[in-house]
């Protein structure tokens, strides 16, 4: 194979990785339940279609990469993976059947097992329905067929069945606090307009039930990417070591993935310390302006866990 072919293999892996992460970020912002709709409207529901479009495409590409690379590492030639089309279920089944080399690190080995949780098979059936076309065009189809918008309804039904671990709930609250503090500090520095673009990204809502479903989807792609990475590690065929592309993003605990790639935290404990100091400054400014004594301000709100069964034992 030429070096340009290896370059293309790396580029496709980078493309699939970014597509998948982009999809998971948007899926965390899918509102669930009437009470979650800002001002009672449904104008954020489209986030499920943006997220599913990116996630399903990224997952499909990573599956096909895993099958193709494993075939090349085993037989010296790439199998034709176009026959799978957009059938996510068949792709996942094919990945599960791939022969894998031994010697993977302990954590990586645990991620080589196909994950299953309480949302299966409905979770991946929803992804396949969307990927195959029925979900991608349902808003347009509803204009002349008066069809149900099934993707959002299916997502909301799944979200009602899960809850996230306390560790992830803390990270969600911490992210909300980051947006609150940065907005307050930018106003104080008279940089509100300058920071408007940054604040829009920070203020993108995250809905806890949707995070629970998105983390279930993350675990599926973590497994596929681990198979891909392991299949290309130091092969006799000289394949690029694609583990170096996928492992930094997907080779993480669920909570760590959320922290790094959804919330955008480098070190959540340091961020919490910095926020504590910032809240003290903000509180001092407000109480000085009002002529009152300073008040203690909690950084992380504590709330009761939502209803549903927690299925994210591994975080």
């Amino acid at each position: 194979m030429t070096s340009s072919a290896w370059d293309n293999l790396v580029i496709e892996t980078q493309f699939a990785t970014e597509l998948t992460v982009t999809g998971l970020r948007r899926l965390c912002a899918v509102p669930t339940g009437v009470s979650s709709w800002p001002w009672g409207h449904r104008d954020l529901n489209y986030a499920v279609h943006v997220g599913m479009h990116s996630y399903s495409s990224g997952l499909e590409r990573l599956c096909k990469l895993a099958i193709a690379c494993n075939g090349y590492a085993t037989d010296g030639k790439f199998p034709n993976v176009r026959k799978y089309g957009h059938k996510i279920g068949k792709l996942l089944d094919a990945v599960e059947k791939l022969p894998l080399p031994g010697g993977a690190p302990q954590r990586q080995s645990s991620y080589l097992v196909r994950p299953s949780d309480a949302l299966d098979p409905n979770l991946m059936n929803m992804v396949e329905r969307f990927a195959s076309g029925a979900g991608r065009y349902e808003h347009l189809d509803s204009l002349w067929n008066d069809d149900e918008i099934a993707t959002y309804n299916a997502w909301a039904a799944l979200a009602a069945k899960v809850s996230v671990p306390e560790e992830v709930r803390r990270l969600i609250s911490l992210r909300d606090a980051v947006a609150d503090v940065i907005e307050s500090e930018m106003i104080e520095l008279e940089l509100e307009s300058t920071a408007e673009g940054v604040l829009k990204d920070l203020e993108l809502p995250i809905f806890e039930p949707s995070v629970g479903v998105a983390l279930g989807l993350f675990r599926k792609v973590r497994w596929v990417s681990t198979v891909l990475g392991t299949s290309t590690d130091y092969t006799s065929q000289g394949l690029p070591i694609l583990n170096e592309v996928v492992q930094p993003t997907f080779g993480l605990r669920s909570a760590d993935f959320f922290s790094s790639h959804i919330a955008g935290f480098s070190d959540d404990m340091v961020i919490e310390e910095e926020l504590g100091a910032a809240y003290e400054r903000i509180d001092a400014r407000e109480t000085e302006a009002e002529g009152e004594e300073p008040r203690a301000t909690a950084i992380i709100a504590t709330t009761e866990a939502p209803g549903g069964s927690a299925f994210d034992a591994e975080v």
Side-chain angles (χ1 to χ4, degrees), residues 241-264:
I241 302 174
L242 298 179
N243 213 16
E244 294 179 357
V245 179
V246 296
Q247 185 70 13
T249 301
F250 296 127
L252 303 171
R253 297 164 58 248
S254 299
D256 291 338
F257 173 80
F258 180 87
S259 180
S260 297
H261 298 286
I262 305 299

Side-chain angles (χ1 to χ4, degrees), residues 65-83:
L65 281 165
I67 295 167
C69 289
N70 190 279
Y72 190 86
T74 303
D75 302 323
K77 61 181 179 179
F78 289 112
N80 187 343
V81 294
R82 293 184 66 86
K83 64 181 181 180

